[in-house]
Amino acid sequence: MTTDNFLVEIGTEELPPKALKSLEEAFRQGIIARLTTQKLDFSEVRSFATPRRLAILVKALQSKQPDNQVEQHGPPVSSAFDSNGNPTKSAEGFARRHGVTVADLQQVSTPKGERLAFKTLVEGKSTVDLLPTIVDQSLADLPIPKRMRWGSSTDEFVRPVHWVVMLFGNRVVTGK
């Protein structure tokens, strides 16, 4: 799995000095929590704050989520086949819902007994596609008691934002 560094920097008008440390830490924790939720591994997260900037540097961030084996459980095997061994409507409906035939389904043991199941491999998403949402949600959750809007924008922040830069390796990440 390849990795690269990710940098996000937000340039603003003068941030409140008393709130600077809490904004920096909340932004850092929000990024870490969302990367972890998305199953994206990294080696280190550093945060930076000045009166006119907030920045996060994530070192050795995975370039893609890992692929994930998903198992969907269906009806119990006892009700999935009739006395002649033919599939019932519940088995056929479960197979149809997943775009396969009853023959493609497997039988698995669960705490609720033997059930039909469908296993599929879900390909992991590209980190570049996930980063804008991760940053957006982390910023939305910052502890800002009174948010400002400026100009005709509907975006809100503690102070007017002049720029946002997001780089993953040497690629520019387009925001929302």
Side-chain angles (χ1 to χ4, degrees):
M1 183 79 47
T2 61
T3 64
D4 226 326
N5 293 336
F6 171 63
L7 172 72
V8 57
E9 180 183 87
I10 301 159
T12 68
E13 288 188 8
E14 198 84 15
L15 294 167
K18 290 181 181 179
L20 198 56
K21 196 66 180 161
S22 65
L23 289 172
E24 174 188 6
E25 186 57 26
F27 191 30
R28 181 179 181 280
Q29 290 304 322
I31 295 289
I32 290 171
R34 285 168 180 82
L35 290 173
T36 303
T37 299
Q38 292 295 331
K39 297 182 173 87
L40 292 169
D41 289 335
F42 52 89
S43 67
E44 176 185 5
V45 176
R46 296 182 61 198
S47 59
F48 308 91
T50 69
R52 293 182 182 259
R53 290 189 180 134
L54 281 176
I56 302 288
L57 175 63
V58 182
K59 292 189 173 188
L61 177 61
Q62 274 182 286
S63 61
K64 178 180 170 276
Q65 287 176 316
D67 296 340
N68 189 19
Q69 179 83 20
V70 176
E71 183 174 279
Q72 301 278 339
H73 293 167
V77 172
S78 59
S79 66
F81 299 98
D82 63 19
S83 58
N84 295 328
N86 297 319
T88 62
K89 288 188 185 282
S90 64
E92 290 171 346
F94 179 70
R96 188 173 39 256
R97 194 170 36 250
H98 293 286
V100 296
T101 65
V102 174
D104 296 328
L105 300 176
Q106 299 173 345
Q107 294 183 19
V108 295
S109 259
T110 71
K112 295 182 178 181
E114 289 287 315
R115 299 181 85 78
L116 287 184
F118 176 69
K119 294 180 181 180
T120 185
L121 185 66
V122 176
E123 190 173 329
K125 295 180 183 174
S126 167
T127 299
V128 171
D129 295 336
L130 297 169
L131 287 171
T133 302
I134 289 171
V135 171
D136 190 49
Q137 290 173 347
S138 298
L139 289 172
D141 287 349
L142 289 179
I144 301 170
K146 189 173 180 181
R147 294 177 178 265
M148 298 177 70
R149 279 189 287 168
W150 53 97
S152 61
S153 174
T154 58
D155 295 330
E156 295 180 341
F157 199 62
V158 66
R159 293 290 188 262
V161 174
H162 293 282
W163 76 85
V164 176
V165 174
M166 292 192 291
L167 297 172
F168 186 61
N170 62 359
R171 292 173 288 180
V172 174
V173 179
T174 305
K176 288 188 155 205

